[in-house]
Amino acid sequence: MSREWQQTRMSEYVMPNAVYYQSIWAVRDLERMEQRLKQLNRATLQEGGILMECETGYKESKVERRAMEAAILSERVEGIRKALSEIPERYRKCILDNIVYNEPVTYPGKLWKLWKQKFLFGVAINLSLM
């Protein structure tokens, strides 16, 4: 993949490089996170939605791990989707395709790059990276 560059035109949306790249990789991982969340939800429904444990003492359980994983994934997916909803609809698909698949953007001008920067900033804020 080619190198990603932040847009510095709008200084209020410039992030530290480490945060910028974490936002990029979180967006690139969105599809996997959504699939895993579906798997976890499907497994819970197949088990009847209620699981009981009869162990004495405290030890992290399978149910607890699954619930924590689902909660974390849900929060991350929701944060990315919320940031995407703040971008004009006509730019959403091209920005996602540019980030995830490194596809060139066909929009004339550079306005889409500013929306991309704002989207990644929103992802960073929603995922508590900043």
Side-chain angles (χ1 to χ4, degrees):
M1 292 198 161
S2 65
R3 177 137 162 86
E4 289 279 347
W5 297 98
Q6 279 192 79
Q7 298 300 307
T8 56
R9 182 181 280 173
M10 297 186 306
S11 61
E12 65 270 17
Y13 295 111
V14 175
M15 301 171 272
N17 281 337
V19 173
Y20 179 76
Y21 287 111
Q22 285 180 59
S23 298
I24 291 276
W25 283 105
V27 173
R28 287 179 179 162
D29 196 31
L30 179 63
E31 188 175 330
R32 183 204 60 85
M33 290 189 291
E34 289 175 332
Q35 291 300 320
R36 180 63 181 149
L37 196 54
K38 285 179 187 176
Q39 286 176 344
L40 291 169
N41 290 336
R42 201 174 317 121
T44 302
L45 289 174
Q46 288 173 350
E47 294 168 351
I50 299 175
L51 294 175
M52 299 181 75
E53 297 182 28
C54 303
E55 295 180 16
T56 58
Y58 181 77
K59 183 172 97 175
E60 186 179 58
S61 68
K62 178 180 173 185
V63 175
E64 199 172 30
R65 278 192 306 273
R66 189 182 306 159
M68 284 301 294
E69 183 182 359
I72 291 168
L73 287 174
S74 179
E75 183 179 345
R76 290 179 65 85
V77 167
E78 186 178 307
I80 294 169
R81 290 290 174 197
K82 183 178 180 218
L84 191 61
S85 71
E86 296 172 3
I87 303 303
E89 194 168 333
R90 67 181 185 180
Y91 292 111
R92 291 176 190 171
K93 182 173 176 7
C94 75
I95 288 173
L96 276 178
D97 288 346
N98 178 259
I99 293 171
V100 176
Y101 304 114
N102 204 24
E103 289 185 6
V105 175
T106 57
Y107 277 101
K110 297 181 181 181
L111 187 59
W112 71 272
K113 291 180 181 182
L114 300 176
W115 283 113
K116 178 182 173 182
Q117 181 72 22
K118 187 173 181 180
F119 166 62
L120 291 171
F121 184 83
V123 168
I125 295 294
N126 293 343
L127 299 184
S128 301
L129 300 174
M130 283 188 50

